Amino acid sequence: MKIRKGDRVRVLSGKDRGKEGEVMFAFPADGTVIIDGVHVAKKHQGPRQGIMQTGIIDKEMPIRVSNVAVLSPADNKPTRVAYRFDSNGQKIRICRRTGVDL
């Protein structure tokens, strides 16, 4: 999975198409991500020990990775992710369109 926690992404399909946000959690085993302020659902929360907020709360739900694209830091447009190796042999993520490091 080429999208990681902290990436700025744009939603490409679904009810939240066009919205942008930062990835809060990434679940590589499931192929999903949770984005701040996107794909919010209402959840009925009952009183439990350790949970202060009860009633109906807003909760961000996971989105499939295939439905989001990373935003290029150079021009803030959606792009794909590629890899290259630096002189020390470390793998670096780069933007496919502009070649800028992510």
Side-chain angles (χ1 to χ4, degrees), residues 33-98:
V33 291
I34 294 180
I35 304 169
D36 187 28
V38 178
H39 197 207
V40 178
K42 300 282 188 182
K43 182 177 183 333
H44 294 265
Q45 182 74 40
R48 289 189 175 82
Q49 186 176 5
I51 298 175
M52 297 297 180
Q53 190 175 8
T54 61
I56 301 173
I57 61 170
D58 293 329
K59 182 178 180 183
E60 286 93 3
M61 301 302 287
I63 298 177
R64 297 284 304 172
V65 164
S66 61
N67 294 334
V68 297
V70 176
L71 293 177
S72 173
D75 55 4
N76 208 25
K77 291 185 180 179
T79 184
R80 292 180 294 161
V81 177
Y83 294 104
R84 70 172 174 84
F85 293 94
D86 65 357
S87 59
N88 297 331
Q90 289 192 342
K91 189 186 268 189
I92 298 175
R93 296 187 317 151
I94 62 170
C95 169
R96 280 265 187 199
R97 284 175 52 268
T98 59

Side-chain angles (χ1 to χ4, degrees), residues 4-49:
R4 297 180 181 170
K5 179 180 178 178
D7 285 347
R8 294 273 313 156
V9 295
R10 181 178 295 165
V11 179
L12 301 177
S13 64
K15 67 177 184 127
D16 293 319
R17 179 179 176 186
K19 288 187 180 178
E20 297 177 3
E22 184 175 330
V23 176
M24 296 189 322
F25 299 100
F27 305 106
D30 301 334
T32 58
V33 291
I34 294 180
I35 304 169
D36 187 28
V38 178
H39 197 207
V40 178
K42 300 282 188 182
K43 182 177 183 333
H44 294 265
Q45 182 74 40
R48 289 189 175 82
Q49 186 176 5

